[in-house]
Amino acid sequence: MTPDPGDGLTRLVHRVVEVDVGPQTRFDQGRLTVSVEAASACLADPALAEVRLSWASPGQSARIVKVLDAVEPRTKGPGGGGIFAGFVGPERVGGRGSTHVLRGAAVVAAGYLPRAQEALIEMSGPAAALSPFGATHNLVVEFTPADGAPWEDVDRALRRGVLQLATHLADAAIESPPDAEEHFPAPPPAGAGNGRRRVGAVTNLQTQGTFKDVFVYGRSFSGGLPTLIDPGELDDGAVVSGQFGHPSLKNPTFMHQNHPVVAALRARHGRDLDFAGVCISPEPVVAGHKELVSAHAARLCAAAGWDAAILTKEGGGNADADVALKMDALEDAGVTAVGLFAEMAGPDGTGPPIVVAPERATAMVSTGNYDERLVLPAVERALGGDRVALLDQPATDELALPIAVVYCALSPLGWGHLTCAPEAASETTPVTEAISQ
Amino acid sequence: MSRIVHYINQFFAGVGGEDSAGTPPTSRPEPVGPGRRLSQLIGPEHEVVATVFCGDDHASSDPAVIAEILEQIRAAEPDLVVAGPAFTSGRYGLACARVAAAATAAGIPVVAAMHPDNPGLDEAGGAPVVESGEVARQMGPSLDRLAAAVRRMLAGEMLTADDGRIGAVPRRSRVADHDAATRAVDLVLTRLGGDRDATEVPLPRFDRVTPAAPATDLSSATVALVTESALVPDDNPDHLESARATKWLRYSLDGRDTLASGDWRSVHGGFSTVWANEDPHRLLPLDVARQLQGEGAIGDLHPAYLVTAGNGTSVGNARRFGIEWAADLRHSEVRAAILTAT
């Protein structure tokens, strides 16, 4: 059956295979040229004294340090056409019609902000494959705050500017024929699935105050209650990250736009299951609030007729409790639950893998061990800063670090291929060898 | 032919008992004591090329001695290191476990043997350990099992519970065929299909700590302030980590009644430190403690506070900090501690 274009979202995919700078921002047959002048204008703000833009591409001897957020260039029409509603577009519900996507490119903000933890992207070498941004052409935005500007204003200016820049880049492709079209129907209502099981995604957003916050339609989601959201809205940038802790366990805006669990459920929709939709929930800091939002999310999913849910988190430690509480609450409500967790088993892998584990819903997927040690070879060029804060070493040095520092390496949304297994039982290749192949 | 180096203690090396427990690390280019029987059991295709031994007191007293032992082991160019069997002997077990952990860290294959109740077992840090009997009388069957494990390891295989493996089996990162999101969908379908046990992550087993009885008379007790809030002198002179701490520190409170803003700083990476840095007493209540001391409500205030950063800390390190803090405070005759957590 031909999909009704009014129902759901179509991605018009333009593949970026080459990047450059030039007098005008344009996209032509896979080649994305950026005008530094026009791009810098997207970031004009009283809180920013200066911004510097440069490309970092796969295979280069380059490292990005102090990574803050990453955004995939997208637009729905000239000026954005409603993309990133609440930041670039007006506050209107998105997720329908068509959206241009510059696949293979990202806008990456990098530099110092308070509370931000050191985060690295390697553009080559053994750790490049550990981050989604080791394989994208990254337009890196470095910045100098204006004298006396409050850090909160710098953070706000940067977020809005990076989203505007991502829109500006995608706008250049509006006239180009897409390389591919991907159509995703909206989730069907309960009872429409011919007996197939209804499976949804519950996505916790780390909402713990300024510099550790996530925005939905331009507003902080701190203090909110769980809500159902159409997966197409994620595609159109309804969820934007302002969360700079736990680099390997972070969900940048890019990952919400390309939510891996949503992608996996879309891929099986209408065959093994019916994709029932997405429930987003805050991750509060107070235990009582964690219990409240967990019970609330479970009730929502049950009311929406879900048979099962896949739960994801953002951040370490206390964020495990948010997943565990929701998993148990869902099971109690008759909804089968599976949670994604990174393990924190210590460098030797012998510690308890999870900080707070579910008691009744015990199906868990591992995204790898946070404490796994890596050695990253020296590089020719570093962006984002001169030094690596964590080690107080020049950013171009050979670095010995835990995988916890590699941006999105243990992606709680399920992007990566890492897992953990008991030493003796495993027959697959150890990670340190496998990633360097 | 594979080269094996055997680690044993002074007693099994025939040097002597408790009177010789201070014997320094020594190497002999041949099997010694139980190594002779082990050598026969593993067959002519492998050879015990050296035995390294050390007195129990000496080996268990100082981690530097383990490095020295490892150097002597390395000098004999082993393909595999064997340590023990240590039975239930505490110091010997500790030494075997630490040698096994050090060899593993250095990339040298190793297997140790001891009884599951040996207190040293936890120190192996995931290095392979196989079960032995409780006492030396059970040397025969213990060496049979150890020799079988040695042959398996030299064949390039991993040890499992079927080989008598005991202690923690490390979980290692691996590259899976599919991304985690796809595996989660598979797991949901498996679970919906009725398999209630399927999981990639086993449920962790946590220690249950029984709290100590409350201190009865604080007016005669020395009270300590301890914290995981990462509050340190402003220049962080000892480089306390903001996350995944590997150490704890002690700073003097002697002669201080308050903690001035600007002199102290929290380097904790897990929460906003703005308000704590405005008034460090929010993390370490020295002001109130001094007041209570002045009123006689507490006998004395311990003249130093202990601090680490509780943020993404591995359970192993957290447990070690706790043991070391308890020992440190006990040594100073502290009767009660206030632990401020963040």
Side-chain angles (χ1 to χ4, degrees), chain A residues 358-421:
Chain A
E359 291 177 9
R360 297 178 290 285
T362 53
M364 294 180 268
V365 167
S366 166
T367 66
N369 182 10
Y370 185 79
D371 297 306
E372 184 85 28
R373 307 296 299 188
L374 298 173
V375 177
L376 311 179
V379 293
E380 288 169 12
R381 183 166 71 113
L383 299 162
D386 297 331
R387 299 185 76 75
V388 175
L390 199 69
L391 300 170
D392 197 24
Q393 265 181 274
T396 50
D397 269 13
E398 176 182 286
L399 305 172
L401 290 161
I403 198 169
V405 184
V406 178
Y407 198 65
C408 304
L410 310 174
S411 170
L413 293 183
W415 169 82
H417 281 62
L418 293 185
T419 185
C420 289

Coordinates of all heavy atoms in Angstrom, one line a residue, chain A residues 358-421:
Chain A
P358 N 17.0 -3.4 38.3 CA 15.5 -3.7 38.5 C 15.4 -5.0 39.3 O 16.3 -5.8 39.3 CB 15.0 -3.9 37.1 CG 16.2 -4.2 36.3 CD 17.4 -3.5 36.9
E359 N 14.3 -5.1 40.0 CA 14.1 -6.3 40.8 C 13.2 -7.4 40.1 O 13.4 -8.6 40.2 CB 13.5 -6.0 42.1 CG 14.5 -5.2 43.0 CD 13.9 -4.8 44.3 OE1 12.8 -5.2 44.6 OE2 14.6 -4.0 45.0
R360 N 12.2 -6.9 39.3 CA 11.2 -7.8 38.7 C 11.4 -7.9 37.2 O 11.2 -8.9 36.6 CB 9.8 -7.4 39.1 CG 9.6 -7.5 40.6 CD 8.2 -7.0 41.0 NE 7.9 -5.6 40.8 CZ 8.4 -4.7 41.7 NH1 9.2 -5.0 42.7 NH2 8.2 -3.4 41.5
A361 N 11.8 -6.8 36.6 CA 12.0 -6.8 35.1 C 13.5 -6.9 34.9 O 14.3 -5.9 35.1 CB 11.5 -5.5 34.5
T362 N 14.0 -8.1 34.6 CA 15.4 -8.3 34.6 C 16.0 -8.5 33.2 O 17.1 -9.0 33.1 CB 15.7 -9.6 35.4 OG1 14.9 -10.6 34.9 CG2 15.3 -9.4 36.9
A363 N 15.4 -8.0 32.2 CA 15.9 -8.2 30.8 C 16.7 -6.9 30.5 O 16.2 -5.8 30.4 CB 14.8 -8.4 29.8
M364 N 18.0 -7.0 30.4 CA 18.9 -5.9 30.2 C 19.9 -6.1 29.1 O 20.4 -7.2 28.9 CB 19.7 -5.6 31.5 CG 18.8 -5.2 32.7 SD 19.8 -4.9 34.2 CE 19.8 -6.5 34.9
V365 N 20.1 -5.0 28.3 CA 21.1 -5.0 27.2 C 22.3 -4.2 27.7 O 22.1 -3.1 28.3 CB 20.5 -4.5 25.9 CG1 21.6 -4.2 24.9 CG2 19.5 -5.4 25.4
S366 N 23.5 -4.7 27.5 CA 24.7 -4.0 27.9 C 25.2 -3.1 26.8 O 25.3 -3.6 25.6 CB 25.7 -5.0 28.4 OG 27.0 -4.4 28.5
T367 N 25.6 -1.9 27.0 CA 26.3 -1.1 26.0 C 27.8 -1.0 26.2 O 28.4 -0.1 25.7 CB 25.7 0.3 25.9 OG1 25.9 1.1 27.1 CG2 24.2 0.2 25.7
G368 N 28.4 -1.9 27.1 CA 29.8 -1.9 27.3 C 30.2 -1.4 28.7 O 29.4 -0.9 29.4
N369 N 31.5 -1.6 29.0 CA 32.0 -1.2 30.4 C 32.6 0.2 30.3 O 33.7 0.4 29.7 CB 33.0 -2.3 30.8 CG 33.5 -2.0 32.3 OD1 33.0 -1.1 32.9 ND2 34.5 -2.7 32.7
Y370 N 32.0 1.1 31.1 CA 32.5 2.5 31.3 C 34.0 2.6 31.7 O 34.6 3.6 31.4 CB 31.6 2.9 32.4 CG 31.6 4.3 32.9 CD1 30.9 5.3 32.2 CD2 32.2 4.6 34.1 CE1 30.9 6.6 32.7 CE2 32.2 5.9 34.6 CZ 31.5 6.9 33.9 OH 31.5 8.2 34.4
D371 N 34.5 1.6 32.4 CA 35.8 1.7 32.9 C 36.9 1.1 32.0 O 38.1 1.0 32.4 CB 35.9 1.1 34.3 CG 35.0 1.8 35.3 OD1 35.1 3.0 35.5 OD2 34.1 1.1 35.9
E372 N 36.5 0.6 30.9 CA 37.4 0.0 29.9 C 38.5 1.0 29.6 O 38.3 2.1 29.3 CB 36.7 -0.4 28.6 CG 37.5 -1.2 27.6 CD 37.5 -2.7 27.9 OE1 36.6 -3.2 28.5 OE2 38.5 -3.3 27.5
R373 N 39.8 0.5 29.6 CA 40.9 1.5 29.4 C 41.3 1.5 27.9 O 41.2 0.4 27.2 CB 42.2 1.0 30.2 CG 41.9 0.9 31.7 CD 41.5 2.2 32.4 NE 42.5 3.2 32.3 CZ 42.5 4.3 32.9 NH1 41.4 4.6 33.7 NH2 43.4 5.2 32.8
L374 N 41.7 2.7 27.4 CA 42.1 2.8 26.0 C 43.3 3.6 25.9 O 43.6 4.5 26.8 CB 41.0 3.6 25.2 CG 39.6 3.0 25.1 CD1 38.7 4.1 24.4 CD2 39.6 1.8 24.3
V375 N 44.1 3.4 24.9 CA 45.3 4.3 24.6 C 45.0 4.9 23.3 O 44.9 4.2 22.3 CB 46.6 3.5 24.7 CG1 47.7 4.5 24.3 CG2 46.9 3.0 26.1
L376 N 44.9 6.2 23.2 CA 44.7 6.9 21.9 C 46.0 7.5 21.4 O 46.7 8.2 22.2 CB 43.7 8.0 22.2 CG 42.4 7.7 23.0 CD1 41.5 8.9 23.1 CD2 41.7 6.5 22.2
P377 N 46.4 7.2 20.2 CA 47.6 7.7 19.7 C 47.7 9.2 19.5 O 46.6 9.8 19.4 CB 47.8 7.0 18.3 CG 46.4 6.5 18.0 CD 45.6 6.3 19.2
A378 N 48.9 9.8 19.5 CA 49.0 11.2 19.3 C 48.4 11.6 17.9 O 48.4 10.8 17.0 CB 50.5 11.6 19.3
V379 N 47.9 12.8 17.8 CA 47.4 13.3 16.6 C 48.0 14.6 16.2 O 48.7 15.3 17.0 CB 45.8 13.6 16.7 CG1 45.1 12.2 16.9 CG2 45.5 14.5 17.8
E380 N 47.8 15.0 14.9 CA 48.5 16.2 14.4 C 47.7 17.5 14.8 O 48.3 18.5 15.0 CB 48.5 16.2 12.9 CG 49.6 15.2 12.3 CD 49.4 15.0 10.8 OE1 48.7 15.8 10.2 OE2 50.0 14.0 10.3
R381 N 46.4 17.4 15.0 CA 45.6 18.6 15.1 C 44.5 18.3 16.2 O 43.9 17.2 16.2 CB 44.9 18.8 13.8 CG 44.1 20.1 13.7 CD 43.8 20.4 12.2 NE 42.8 19.4 11.6 CZ 41.6 19.7 11.2 NH1 41.1 21.0 11.3 NH2 40.8 18.8 10.7
A382 N 44.3 19.3 17.1 CA 43.2 19.2 18.0 C 42.3 20.4 17.9 O 42.8 21.5 17.7 CB 43.8 19.1 19.4
L383 N 41.0 20.1 18.0 CA 40.0 21.2 18.0 C 39.3 21.2 19.3 O 39.2 20.2 20.0 CB 39.0 21.0 16.9 CG 39.7 21.0 15.5 CD1 38.7 20.3 14.5 CD2 40.0 22.4 15.0
G384 N 38.8 22.4 19.7 CA 38.0 22.4 20.9 C 38.8 22.9 22.1 O 38.2 23.4 23.1
G385 N 40.1 22.8 22.1 CA 40.9 23.3 23.2 C 42.3 22.8 23.0 O 42.6 21.9 22.2
D386 N 43.3 23.4 23.8 CA 44.7 23.0 23.7 C 45.1 21.9 24.6 O 46.0 21.2 24.4 CB 45.6 24.2 24.0 CG 45.4 25.4 23.1 OD1 45.0 25.1 21.9 OD2 45.5 26.5 23.5
R387 N 44.3 21.7 25.6 CA 44.6 20.7 26.6 C 43.4 19.8 26.9 O 42.3 20.2 26.8 CB 45.1 21.4 27.9 CG 46.4 22.2 27.7 CD 46.9 22.7 29.0 NE 47.7 21.7 29.8 CZ 48.9 21.3 29.5 NH1 49.6 21.8 28.5 NH2 49.5 20.4 30.3
V388 N 43.7 18.6 27.4 CA 42.7 17.7 27.9 C 42.6 17.9 29.4 O 43.5 17.6 30.1 CB 43.1 16.2 27.5 CG1 42.1 15.3 28.1 CG2 43.2 16.1 26.0
A389 N 41.5 18.4 29.8 CA 41.3 18.8 31.2 C 41.5 17.6 32.2 O 42.2 17.7 33.2 CB 39.9 19.3 31.4
L390 N 41.0 16.5 31.8 CA 41.1 15.3 32.7 C 42.5 14.9 33.0 O 42.8 14.5 34.2 CB 40.3 14.2 32.0 CG 39.9 13.0 32.8 CD1 38.8 13.5 33.7 CD2 39.4 11.9 32.0
L391 N 43.4 15.0 32.1 CA 44.8 14.5 32.3 C 45.8 15.7 32.4 O 46.9 15.5 32.7 CB 45.2 13.7 31.1 CG 44.4 12.4 30.8 CD1 44.7 11.8 29.5 CD2 44.6 11.4 32.0
D392 N 45.3 16.9 32.1 CA 46.2 18.1 32.1 C 47.4 17.8 31.1 O 48.5 17.9 31.5 CB 46.7 18.5 33.5 CG 47.2 19.9 33.5 OD1 46.8 20.7 32.5 OD2 48.0 20.2 34.3
Q393 N 47.0 17.4 29.9 CA 48.0 17.1 28.9 C 47.7 17.8 27.6 O 46.5 18.2 27.4 CB 48.0 15.6 28.5 CG 48.9 14.7 29.3 CD 48.8 13.2 28.8 OE1 48.0 12.5 29.3 NE2 49.6 12.8 27.8
P394 N 48.7 18.1 26.8 CA 48.3 18.7 25.5 C 47.3 17.8 24.8 O 47.4 16.6 24.8 CB 49.6 18.8 24.8 CG 50.7 18.8 25.8 CD 50.1 18.0 27.0
A395 N 46.4 18.5 24.1 CA 45.3 17.7 23.5 C 45.7 16.8 22.3 O 45.0 15.9 21.9 CB 44.2 18.7 23.0
T396 N 46.9 17.1 21.8 CA 47.4 16.3 20.6 C 48.2 15.1 21.1 O 48.6 14.3 20.3 CB 48.3 17.1 19.7 OG1 49.3 17.8 20.5 CG2 47.5 18.2 18.9
D397 N 48.5 15.0 22.4 CA 49.3 13.9 22.9 C 48.7 12.5 22.8 O 47.5 12.4 22.6 CB 49.5 14.1 24.5 CG 50.7 14.9 24.8 OD1 51.3 15.5 23.9 OD2 51.0 14.9 26.0
E398 N 49.6 11.5 22.9 CA 49.0 10.1 23.2 C 48.3 10.2 24.5 O 48.9 10.8 25.5 CB 50.2 9.1 23.2 CG 49.7 7.7 23.6 CD 50.8 6.7 23.6 OE1 51.3 6.3 22.6 OE2 51.1 6.3 24.8
L399 N 47.1 9.6 24.6 CA 46.3 9.7 25.8 C 45.9 8.3 26.3 O 45.5 7.5 25.5 CB 45.1 10.5 25.6 CG 45.2 11.9 25.0 CD1 43.9 12.5 24.7 CD2 45.9 12.8 26.0
A400 N 46.1 8.1 27.6 CA 45.6 6.9 28.2 C 44.3 7.2 29.1 O 44.4 8.0 30.0 CB 46.6 6.2 29.1
L401 N 43.2 6.7 28.7 CA 41.9 7.2 29.2 C 40.9 6.0 29.3 O 41.0 5.0 28.6 CB 41.3 8.2 28.3 CG 41.9 9.6 28.1 CD1 41.5 10.2 26.8 CD2 41.6 10.4 29.3
P402 N 39.9 6.1 30.2 CA 38.8 5.2 30.2 C 37.9 5.5 29.0 O 37.8 6.7 28.6 CB 38.1 5.4 31.5 CG 38.5 6.7 31.9 CD 39.8 7.1 31.3
I403 N 37.2 4.5 28.5 CA 36.3 4.7 27.4 C 35.2 5.7 27.7 O 34.6 6.3 26.9 CB 35.7 3.3 27.0 CG1 35.1 3.4 25.6 CG2 34.7 2.8 28.0 CD1 34.7 2.1 25.0
A404 N 35.0 5.9 29.1 CA 34.0 6.8 29.6 C 34.1 8.2 29.0 O 33.2 9.0 29.0 CB 34.1 6.9 31.1
V405 N 35.3 8.6 28.5 CA 35.6 9.9 28.0 C 35.3 10.0 26.5 O 35.2 11.1 25.9 CB 37.1 10.3 28.3 CG1 37.4 11.7 27.8 CG2 37.4 10.1 29.7
V406 N 35.1 8.9 25.8 CA 34.8 9.0 24.3 C 33.3 9.2 24.1 O 32.5 8.5 24.6 CB 35.3 7.7 23.7 CG1 35.0 7.7 22.2 CG2 36.8 7.5 23.9
Y407 N 33.1 10.3 23.4 CA 31.7 10.8 23.1 C 30.8 9.8 22.5 O 31.1 9.3 21.4 CB 31.9 12.0 22.2 CG 30.7 13.0 22.2 CD1 30.4 13.7 23.3 CD2 30.0 13.2 21.0 CE1 29.3 14.7 23.2 CE2 29.0 14.1 20.9 CZ 28.6 14.8 22.1 OH 27.6 15.8 22.0
C408 N 29.8 9.4 23.3 CA 28.7 8.5 22.8 C 29.2 7.0 22.7 O 28.5 6.2 22.1 CB 28.1 8.9 21.5 SG 27.4 10.6 21.6
A409 N 30.4 6.7 23.2 CA 30.9 5.4 23.0 C 30.1 4.3 23.6 O 30.0 3.2 23.1 CB 32.3 5.3 23.6
L410 N 29.3 4.6 24.7 CA 28.4 3.6 25.3 C 27.0 4.1 25.2 O 26.2 3.9 26.1 CB 28.8 3.5 26.8 CG 30.3 3.2 27.1 CD1 30.5 3.3 28.6 CD2 30.8 1.9 26.6
S411 N 26.7 4.7 24.1 CA 25.4 5.4 23.8 C 24.2 4.7 24.5 O 23.8 3.6 24.1 CB 25.2 5.4 22.3 OG 23.8 5.8 22.1
P412 N 23.6 5.4 25.5 CA 22.5 4.8 26.2 C 21.3 4.6 25.3 O 20.4 3.7 25.5 CB 22.1 5.8 27.3 CG 23.3 6.7 27.4 CD 24.0 6.7 26.1
L413 N 21.3 5.3 24.1 CA 20.2 5.1 23.2 C 20.4 3.9 22.3 O 19.6 3.6 21.4 CB 19.9 6.4 22.4 CG 19.4 7.6 23.1 CD1 19.2 8.8 22.2 CD2 18.2 7.3 23.9
G414 N 21.5 3.2 22.4 CA 21.8 2.0 21.7 C 22.4 2.1 20.4 O 22.3 1.2 19.6
W415 N 23.2 3.2 20.1 CA 23.8 3.4 18.8 C 25.0 2.4 18.6 O 25.2 1.9 17.5 CB 24.4 4.8 18.7 CG 25.3 4.9 17.5 CD1 24.9 5.1 16.2 CD2 26.7 4.8 17.5 NE1 26.1 5.2 15.4 CE2 27.2 5.0 16.2 CE3 27.7 4.6 18.5 CZ2 28.5 4.9 15.8 CZ3 29.0 4.5 18.1 CH2 29.4 4.7 16.8
G416 N 25.7 2.0 19.7 CA 27.0 1.3 19.5 C 26.8 -0.2 19.5 O 25.7 -0.7 19.7
H417 N 27.9 -0.8 19.1 CA 28.0 -2.3 19.0 C 28.7 -2.9 20.2 O 28.9 -4.1 20.3 CB 28.7 -2.7 17.8 CG 27.9 -2.6 16.5 ND1 27.4 -1.4 16.1 CD2 27.4 -3.5 15.6 CE1 26.7 -1.6 15.0 NE2 26.7 -2.9 14.7
L418 N 29.0 -2.1 21.3 CA 29.7 -2.7 22.4 C 28.7 -3.5 23.3 O 27.6 -3.1 23.4 CB 30.5 -1.7 23.2 CG 31.6 -1.0 22.5 CD1 32.3 0.0 23.5 CD2 32.6 -2.0 22.0
T419 N 29.2 -4.5 23.9 CA 28.5 -5.2 25.0 C 29.6 -5.7 25.9 O 30.8 -5.5 25.8 CB 27.6 -6.3 24.4 OG1 26.9 -6.9 25.5 CG2 28.5 -7.4 23.8
C420 N 29.1 -6.4 27.0 CA 30.1 -7.1 27.9 C 29.7 -8.6 28.0 O 28.5 -8.9 27.9 CB 30.1 -6.5 29.3 SG 30.9 -4.9 29.3
A421 N 30.6 -9.4 28.2 CA 30.3 -10.8 28.4 C 31.4 -11.4 29.4 O 32.5 -10.8 29.4 CB 30.4 -11.6 27.1

